[in-house]
Amino acid sequence: MKKIELLYQAISICPLCGGDAHKRDKLTRANYFFGVFCIPLPSEGVYLLECTVCSLLFKSAVPSQESLSIVMAGGATAVWQSKSGVHPALAWVLPHLKNQHKSVLDVGASNGDLLAQVKPFASGVSALDVVEYPQCRLVVDRE
């Protein structure tokens, strides 16, 4: 693994509607892993925030555009290969869908592995990523 330090930008208001947000949970990991990269999270950590207006779940810190470009150029195609088994984020997402059948937007959807596993519990699934991956397009039933 190649350790790469990124610049992060803080996100405190909803990127969808501009509403206020409250903390739902703090990510417990110290690093992201993407292809050959080990990417440390910011020292203050990253929180999962929920908009008090539209209920969008989003992270409190995301890589800057320049940092994201470096990471994507160095590892995207290797990362977007299909994986087997239960997606590790499924356990985090399902409690927010329980008995509510909400729509899900996966930002950074990669190949759509998480969306494929969330789809039976959601009213619809959408994806947003810096590059559209054809396998993900097959899973998405909305945007």
Side-chain angles (χ1 to χ4, degrees), residues 75-119:
T77 55
V79 170
W80 288 347
Q81 297 174 8
S82 293
K83 298 162 190 72
S84 60
V86 176
H87 193 288
L90 188 64
W92 295 346
V93 175
L94 287 182
H96 301 287
L97 298 176
K98 189 175 183 180
N99 300 324
Q100 295 180 21
H101 222 60
K102 294 180 178 179
S103 295
V104 173
L105 168 63
D106 186 356
V107 178
S110 178
N111 61 10
D113 282 351
L114 175 60
L115 287 176
Q117 293 181 21
V118 167
K119 195 171 185 174

Side-chain angles (χ1 to χ4, degrees), residues 2-49:
K2 180 181 175 183
K3 186 175 181 179
I4 182 172
E5 298 285 337
L6 301 185
L7 297 175
Y8 287 87
Q9 61 185 37
I11 309 293
S12 59
I13 61 169
C14 178
L16 182 62
C17 75
D20 291 329
H22 60 89
K23 292 179 182 175
R24 295 288 274 169
D25 208 352
K26 184 176 183 180
L27 298 186
T28 56
R29 62 186 346 166
N31 304 289
Y32 290 122
F33 297 95
F34 189 81
V36 298
F37 298 121
C38 172
I39 306 165
L41 271 62
S43 58
E44 62 276 6
V46 175
Y47 291 86
L48 184 63
L49 305 177

Side-chain angles (χ1 to χ4, degrees), residues 119-141:
K119 195 171 185 174
F121 305 98
S123 60
V125 295
S126 300
L128 177 65
D129 215 324
V130 294
V131 177
E132 182 177 313
Y133 188 68
Q135 183 177 337
C136 186
R137 168 55 58 201
L138 298 174
V139 175
V140 172
D141 59 15

